[in-house]
Amino acid sequence: MLEWDALNCGMQLQAVVKVKKTLHNSSLYTSHKTNVKIVCFGPHISSQVQAQHCVWYGECGESDKVPGKKYNCNYTGPPIPLPAEGHELLTELCPGYDYGNQSLCCDVQQLLTLQGSLQLPLQFLSRCPACFFNLMNLFCELTCSPRQSLFVNGTQFTNDTAANKTNVVEVQYYIGQTFANAMYNACQDVQAPSINVKALSLLCGKDASDCNATNWIEYMFDINNGQSPFPIIPIFSDVPVSGMIPMNNKTYGCTEGLEDGSGPCSCQDCSQACGPQPVPPPLLPPWTILGIDAMVVIMWISYVAFLLIFIGAVIGAWCYRQGPTHIMT
């Protein structure tokens, strides 16, 4: 859309030149100076300017609510090229930004913090590459995106007098509902084999059966989980809200492979990858004899035959023991 807006603007300017030439060559042209002004309205052009606007950069003071965690420093300038020592880490965590001069809204220390915060999800969700890719996308866009100001809005700040900087102590994160649903769908079946439960039971703050796309993300960004150093308030929408454009990046389903060559998730971690369940063959009609179950008839015949043979054998044995003399008398 940005290219279309720019092209549309250019076409308008060309049209103005043609109008001026036509007026000049026509008999209607006078010695009066003709001013023609074109105003090009392009929301995506303004978005391009906003895309170079960060919300934070670097880490500042210690979090008051989560010991051992730090706030990010408020910064509203353009993205800053990542130092060379962070390139390998960026490729590992957020390969989508590994291009150009790697100008981002995070520094190396923020990448290290992100890496440490994702160790638990990595342990369980990396079993399904598509699931973990979508999750990393969620956190990379929040932490480092050069388009950060489009979907992250700082709402509360405090002064870090020691460093003479400002802490960001609360933000709103605008997330596409489509993205959230797709991320959840790719992860909902991933197992934690060591304890025989679904991974979301460990990462959602509740049983996996009660977890959904929104309350999972809300839990991950809640300071009460001991990982987030400040409140991150997710706002879900697929359309712009209050001038913010929700993050709605491309996602992968659990049956899809990634561009880096990773295959789809296994059947154990993705029910959609298991294929249809085999249909059992139809039951055979019951075997009957004279309208009675054949097995019942056979059992009764066998029982009667056994009974006759047994009675005959008993009578024969009794007669044999009596002897011929007793029989004749």
Side-chain angles (χ1 to χ4, degrees):
M1 290 299 297
L2 176 59
E3 294 178 357
W4 185 90
D5 287 333
L7 178 61
N8 188 35
C9 225
M11 293 173 64
Q12 293 180 46
L13 292 173
Q14 291 180 4
V16 171
V17 174
K18 291 182 179 179
V19 169
K20 285 186 175 182
K21 288 183 178 179
T22 302
L23 289 173
H24 180 77
N25 295 330
S26 69
S27 58
L28 297 177
Y29 180 78
T30 65
S31 60
H32 297 288
K33 186 175 180 180
T34 304
N35 292 323
V36 182
K37 182 181 293 185
I38 291 293
V39 179
C40 299
F41 296 95
H44 294 278
I45 292 178
S46 62
S47 295
Q48 186 183 30
V49 176
Q50 290 182 341
Q52 305 303 310
H53 173 201
C54 292
V55 172
W56 58 46
Y57 187 85
E59 295 184 347
C60 286
E62 293 281 341
S63 172
D64 297 332
K65 300 177 181 179
V66 183
K69 301 287 185 177
K70 288 189 174 183
Y71 295 121
N72 292 325
C73 303
N74 185 39
Y75 169 73
T76 56
I80 299 174
L82 185 71
E85 60 267 24
H87 290 180
E88 184 176 349
L89 185 59
L90 179 68
T91 303
E92 175 190 343
L93 298 176
C94 309
Y97 299 144
D98 190 13
Y99 63 89
N101 64 353
Q102 300 175 334
S103 293
L104 303 170
C105 292
C106 65
D107 62 6
V108 178
Q109 184 56 50
Q110 285 175 288
L111 284 174
L112 290 170
T113 300
L114 176 62
Q115 183 186 42
S117 300
L118 292 175
Q119 288 306 303
L120 182 61
L122 173 65
Q123 181 180 351
F124 297 112
L125 300 183
S126 60
R127 292 167 48 90
C128 178
C131 164
F132 193 67
F133 175 88
N134 297 336
L135 182 73
M136 290 299 301
N137 213 337
L138 175 73
F139 282 94
C140 286
E141 287 292 307
L142 169 66
T143 307
C144 295
S145 174
R147 305 179 301 114
Q148 197 177 55
S149 61
L150 293 180
F151 42 79
V152 179
N153 180 38
T155 54
Q156 292 188 26
F157 308 88
T158 59
N159 291 325
D160 183 1
T161 54
N164 195 25
K165 293 182 179 180
T166 301
N167 299 318
V168 180
V169 299
E170 182 182 282
V171 297
Q172 295 171 329
Y173 187 9
Y174 292 78
I175 304 169
Q177 186 67 60
T178 299
F179 177 92
N181 291 340
M183 185 180 79
Y184 171 77
N185 290 337
C187 297
Q188 62 178 334
D189 294 324
V190 178
Q191 301 291 318
S194 58
I195 53 177
N196 197 31
V197 297
K198 289 188 176 181
L200 288 187
S201 294
L202 306 174
L203 303 174
C204 194
K206 58 187 69 182
D207 189 78
S209 60
D210 299 321
C211 188
N212 57 45
T214 54
N215 63 24
W216 177 28
I217 294 176
E218 288 170 348
Y219 176 76
M220 288 192 293
F221 291 150
D222 191 338
I223 59 171
N224 294 320
N225 65 20
Q227 295 297 320
S228 180
F230 53 86
I232 301 171
I233 303 170
I235 299 174
F236 301 95
S237 175
D238 281 331
V239 297
V241 179
S242 302
M244 306 297 286
I245 302 176
M247 190 281 292
N248 228 339
N249 285 9
K250 177 183 177 181
T251 56
Y252 288 89
C254 61
T255 58
E256 299 179 280
L258 305 185
E259 294 179 1
D260 63 0
S262 301
C265 307
S266 66
C267 174
Q268 182 183 9
D269 299 314
C270 175
S271 58
Q272 300 174 34
C274 298
Q277 295 292 330
V279 179
L283 296 175
L284 296 175
W287 178 30
T288 60
I289 298 176
L290 300 176
I292 304 174
D293 188 279
M295 293 304 297
V296 174
V297 174
I298 292 173
M299 290 299 294
W300 273 106
I301 292 175
S302 300
Y303 174 73
V304 171
F306 171 77
L307 189 61
L308 292 175
I309 293 172
F310 177 76
I311 293 174
V314 170
I315 294 174
W318 180 81
C319 292
Y320 176 79
R321 289 181 178 182
Q322 297 300 317
T325 303
H326 180 76
I327 295 176
M328 291 178 62
T329 59

